Amino acid sequence: MDDQATGWRAAIRRFLPPLLVILLIGSLGTLLYSASNASRDHQQALDEQRRSYEIIALARAFEAKTARAEVTLARYVISLDPDTGRLFQDQWRGAASLLKTMSYATRQSGWQQNNVSALQVAFDQRGKTLSDIGLRTTYDQKMAALAKFHQAGKSEDLRQITMLLDRVIEAENARLQERSEAVSLAGDRNEWVGKTSQLFGLVLLVCVLFALWLANAAYTERRNARRQADDETARADRLEAAVAARTVELSDAYEQLKKETAERAAAEENLRQMQKMDAVGQLTGGIAHDFNNMLAVVVGGLELAKRKLRLKPQEASRHLDNAMEGANRAAALTRRLLAFARSEPLLPSAIDPDALVSGIGELIDRSIGDQITMAFDNGAKGWRIFVDQHQMENAILNLCVNARDAMEGRGHLVIRTGQAHLAANEIGECVEGDYVTLTVSDNGCGMTPEILSRVFEPFFTTKPVGKGTGLGLSQIFGLVHQCEGEIRIESEIGKGTSVHIYLPRHIGAEGEAGMDAHAPEREPVLQPPTRILVVEDDPRVLNQTMAALAELGHLPIACDHPSKAARLLTSHRDIGLIVSDVLMPEMTGPEMIRTLPAAHAHVPVLFVTGYAGDTAERADFAGHEVLRKPYTLMGLSHALSNALSGSHHPGTAAAAE
C-alpha cells in the first residue's frame, strides 16, 4: 500500500508540472485571444460611432453651405456685384466638395448609398437651376433672374435635397444608436476579460510561482487595454460635444438665414417701388406727347366743325371725321397701355396670318410713307394662329413704324409669314410642335449689341423725350409670350434688322368663329324697341348712353347707383335688358347682378367697361356680353343685338368699333 501511494505521489509530481504548464499556456492563450477580440470589437464599434458623427456633421455642414450659397446668389441677383457672384460660385463648389466627402465617407454603408446618390442628383439639378439664374443676372436679365429665383425657392429639387439630408441624418442617428449599444457591449466584455485576468493571475500566483511573469504580462496588457478604452471614451465624449456645438452653430445660421431672407424680401419690395416710380417718370413724357396730339385733333376738329356746321356742312363733316380719328387713336393707345399692364384680357380667335398681314397692308403703307417700298411673302399656307386680332395688328404696325424710323423714311421693308417645326427649347422656351413664323425685315441702320440686349425692357427707347413711350417692343414681347410663343431679333449695324415671331399653330374646328381676320363686318340683328335699364354712376356717361340707346330706337331708364337697380326692375316689369358699368362705387357691376332677386335672373345683361383691372375677372362676367369703352353706335348696336339674341359666346367681349 505504501509503494502504491508513493507511486501515485511520484506520478503526480511528474505529471502535475507539465499539466499545470499546459493548463497555464491554454488558459493564457484563451485569455489573450478573448482580450484581443474584445479590444478589436471595442475599437471597431468606436470607429463606426465616430464615422456616424462625421457623416452627420458633414450633412449639417453641407446643408448650411448650400443655404449660404443661395443667400449669396440672392444678393448677387439684387446687387449685380461680380464679387458676390464669384463668392456664390466658391460657396457652391465648397458644398459640392462636402457632398463628395460625404459620398466617400458612406462608400461602405449600403443603407446610405442610395440616399447620397439621390442627393447628388438633386444637388446637380439645383446647381443647374441656380447657375441659370446666375447667367441671367450676368447678362443683365435681372427681372427674369428674380422671377427665376422666386420660382427656384418653391422648386421640387430644393425640397428633395432637404428631404434626403433629413433621411441621411435619421439613418445615421439610428445607426449611431446601434453603434453606441455595440460600444457599451464591447466595454462590458472588455471589463469582464479584465476581471477574469485578475482572478486568473491570483490563482496562478498561488498555484504556480513560475507563472508570475505570465500573470504580470497579462495584467499589464489588461491595464493598457483599459487605458486605451478610457482614452477612446474621452475622445467619443469630445466628439459628441463638438457635434452638439456644431448643431448650435447650424441653428444660429438658420436663424440668420431667416433674418436675411426677411431683409431680402423687404429690399425686393423697396426695389419694386423704386422701379414703379422710375417707370412712371419715364412714361409721363411719351404719353403726355401722344395724348396732347390726339386731344389737339379732337378739340380742334370739334371747334372747327362747330364753326362750319351751318355754312359749310361738308367741311364740318370732314373736321368731325378728323376728331373721331383722333379719339380712336387715343382709345387705341389706352388699350395698348392696358394690354401692357395685363389689365385688359386678350380676346383671341383663330386667325389666318396671311390674311391678317394682307388686310392691314394699306394701313402700313400709309403709316410708313411713299419713300419705303414694301413687299409681302405669304408662306403660312393655311396654317392659323390663336391670337387677339387687334393686338396682333398693333404689334405688326408697331414693328413697321420702328423699321421706318430705322430707315429714316427711305428703304425696303419685307413682311414674311411661314411654317416651322421646332424641337423643344430650340427657340427660347418653345415646346416641340408646329409654329407659324412672322418676320419683319428692314435695311435700316441696325442696332448695336448693347441696344439689342435692352430692346424688350419696359420704357426703354432710343427716341428723344416726348417722341415715344418705350412700350412698343415690351408690349409685343408680352403679347407673344401670352400666346405661348417666342420673339427673336437679328440686327447688324448698317445692314438692317429682322424681327422673328414664332406663334404656335392653331388647329380648330372648321368654321370656327374668328377664322377670318378680315371678314366683312356683319350687320347687327335688328331688334324691336326694348326697355333698357342703364346702370352708370358717371352722369355724363349716363346721359351719353341714354342718348345713344334712344338714337338706336330703344327705351332707356336711368339708374345712377347700383343699389337702385333692384327697385327699378321691380317697378318696370317690361325691362328686357340691363346695361351696366363694371367699376362703380360701393358695388361693381358683376356684384350687382349676383345680388339681384331670382325673379330678375332671366333678364339679359350687357357690361360696359373701360378698365376692369383686378376687380372683375372674365369669370365674373358669367358669360354675359361685354362692350369696351369708348364705343361707337355701330359697336353698341352689335353688342345689344348679341345680348338680346343670346348669340354671345362666353369668354369673349365685344370690341369697340
Side-chain angles (χ1 to χ4, degrees), residues 610-631:
Y611 170 70
D614 296 329
T615 304
E617 297 294 336
R618 190 177 301 180
D620 290 339
F621 296 138
H624 295 298
E625 185 76 11
V626 180
L627 178 63
R628 295 177 183 170
K629 299 176 183 177
Y631 53 82

Side-chain angles (χ1 to χ4, degrees), residues 484-541:
E484 300 180 356
E486 193 61 61
I487 181 171
R488 286 290 180 269
I489 298 181
E490 298 176 355
S491 185
E492 186 174 350
I493 294 295
K495 294 186 177 181
T497 301
S498 294
V499 181
H500 306 278
I501 296 176
Y502 298 83
L503 296 172
R505 179 189 180 186
H506 175 74
I507 301 177
E510 292 294 332
E512 182 179 353
M515 294 289 278
D516 189 350
H518 293 277
E521 186 180 81
R522 56 186 173 87
E523 290 296 327
V525 179
L526 297 178
Q527 298 289 339
T530 304
R531 189 168 298 280
I532 300 175
L533 178 64
V534 183
V535 185
E536 172 62 63
D537 62 297
D538 190 318
R540 292 170 298 180
V541 178

Side-chain angles (χ1 to χ4, degrees), residues 219-447:
Y219 177 76
T220 302
E221 184 178 357
R222 177 190 59 78
R223 186 175 58 186
N224 291 336
R226 176 175 291 179
R227 184 182 300 112
Q228 185 178 3
D230 292 340
D231 292 341
E232 292 297 333
T233 301
R235 183 179 179 184
D237 292 340
R238 289 195 300 272
L239 182 59
E240 183 177 1
V243 171
R246 184 60 177 171
T247 302
V248 173
E249 291 178 2
L250 291 177
S251 177
D252 294 340
Y254 177 70
E255 293 298 329
Q256 181 65 23
L257 176 61
K258 290 201 301 185
K259 180 179 178 181
E260 291 178 356
T261 301
E263 292 176 353
R264 183 190 67 187
E268 290 176 351
E269 181 63 26
N270 291 335
L271 177 61
R272 282 193 292 269
Q273 294 298 327
M274 292 173 62
Q275 289 174 337
K276 288 180 181 179
M277 296 304 296
D278 183 63
V280 170
Q282 295 185 46
L283 184 62
T284 302
I287 292 180
H289 174 270
D290 290 346
F291 265 103
N292 283 334
N293 286 344
M294 298 166 193
L295 291 176
V297 173
V298 173
V299 174
L302 292 176
E303 185 176 5
L304 291 173
K306 184 178 180 181
R307 288 175 174 268
K308 304 292 184 179
L309 188 60
R310 292 184 178 180
L311 300 179
K312 298 180 180 180
Q314 185 175 3
E315 187 174 348
S317 176
R318 180 171 59 83
H319 290 305
L320 289 174
D321 290 340
N322 289 338
M324 180 63 72
E325 181 181 358
N328 288 335
R329 288 180 59 196
L333 178 59
T334 302
R335 286 197 298 272
R336 288 179 58 199
L337 293 171
L338 291 176
F340 171 77
R342 307 290 172 85
S343 298
E344 182 180 56
L346 297 181
L347 306 175
S349 59
I351 303 295
D352 182 347
D354 292 341
L356 177 72
V357 173
S358 300
I360 62 173
E362 183 178 353
L363 176 61
I364 295 174
D365 189 52
R366 291 200 307 267
S367 300
I368 62 178
D370 297 334
Q371 299 299 316
I372 297 178
T373 60
M374 183 173 58
F376 296 95
D377 184 3
N378 297 329
K381 299 179 180 178
W383 284 19
R384 298 181 183 274
I385 53 179
F386 195 67
V387 297
D388 185 304
Q389 174 184 332
H390 298 291
Q391 296 291 348
M392 201 64 208
E393 288 176 348
N394 286 338
I396 297 173
L397 181 60
N398 200 318
L399 292 176
C400 293
V401 171
N402 286 347
R404 177 201 65 189
D405 296 340
M407 294 184 290
E408 297 182 353
R410 185 185 299 271
H412 186 64
L413 178 68
V414 179
I415 303 177
R416 296 185 180 90
T417 59
Q419 303 175 351
H421 182 85
L422 301 181
N425 299 323
E426 179 180 347
I427 300 294
E429 299 180 357
C430 289
V431 300
E432 181 181 3
D434 293 333
Y435 286 80
V436 173
T437 62
L438 193 151
T439 302
V440 178
S441 301
D442 64 70
N443 59 348
C445 61
M447 290 181 283

Side-chain angles (χ1 to χ4, degrees), residues 117-324:
S117 299
L119 183 60
Q120 182 68 53
V121 173
F123 177 78
D124 293 340
Q125 183 63 33
R126 186 66 176 174
K128 293 179 181 178
T129 301
L130 298 184
S131 296
D132 181 57
I133 295 173
L135 286 175
R136 288 177 181 267
T137 305
T138 302
Y139 289 100
D140 203 21
Q141 298 180 9
K142 186 171 183 180
M143 298 306 296
L146 284 173
K148 197 78 174 179
F149 185 81
H150 178 71
Q151 295 175 357
K154 305 177 181 178
S155 64
E156 185 63 26
D157 52 359
L158 181 59
R159 291 193 291 272
Q160 184 74 1
I161 290 174
T162 303
M163 180 192 69
L164 289 171
L165 280 173
D166 292 339
R167 189 178 298 171
V168 168
I169 294 173
E170 289 173 1
E172 285 300 327
N173 283 331
R175 187 65 177 173
L176 183 60
Q177 185 176 1
E178 298 176 2
R179 290 168 178 171
S180 298
E181 293 176 358
V183 170
S184 178
L185 292 175
D188 294 342
R189 183 180 176 188
N190 211 15
E191 185 178 359
W192 178 84
V193 170
K195 290 181 180 180
T196 302
S197 300
Q198 185 178 12
L199 180 61
F200 182 73
L202 293 175
V203 172
L204 288 180
L205 182 62
V206 174
C207 295
V208 283
L209 296 177
F210 66 86
L212 182 60
W213 63 276
L214 293 175
N216 184 63
Y219 177 76
T220 302
E221 184 178 357
R222 177 190 59 78
R223 186 175 58 186
N224 291 336
R226 176 175 291 179
R227 184 182 300 112
Q228 185 178 3
D230 292 340
D231 292 341
E232 292 297 333
T233 301
R235 183 179 179 184
D237 292 340
R238 289 195 300 272
L239 182 59
E240 183 177 1
V243 171
R246 184 60 177 171
T247 302
V248 173
E249 291 178 2
L250 291 177
S251 177
D252 294 340
Y254 177 70
E255 293 298 329
Q256 181 65 23
L257 176 61
K258 290 201 301 185
K259 180 179 178 181
E260 291 178 356
T261 301
E263 292 176 353
R264 183 190 67 187
E268 290 176 351
E269 181 63 26
N270 291 335
L271 177 61
R272 282 193 292 269
Q273 294 298 327
M274 292 173 62
Q275 289 174 337
K276 288 180 181 179
M277 296 304 296
D278 183 63
V280 170
Q282 295 185 46
L283 184 62
T284 302
I287 292 180
H289 174 270
D290 290 346
F291 265 103
N292 283 334
N293 286 344
M294 298 166 193
L295 291 176
V297 173
V298 173
V299 174
L302 292 176
E303 185 176 5
L304 291 173
K306 184 178 180 181
R307 288 175 174 268
K308 304 292 184 179
L309 188 60
R310 292 184 178 180
L311 300 179
K312 298 180 180 180
Q314 185 175 3
E315 187 174 348
S317 176
R318 180 171 59 83
H319 290 305
L320 289 174
D321 290 340
N322 289 338
M324 180 63 72

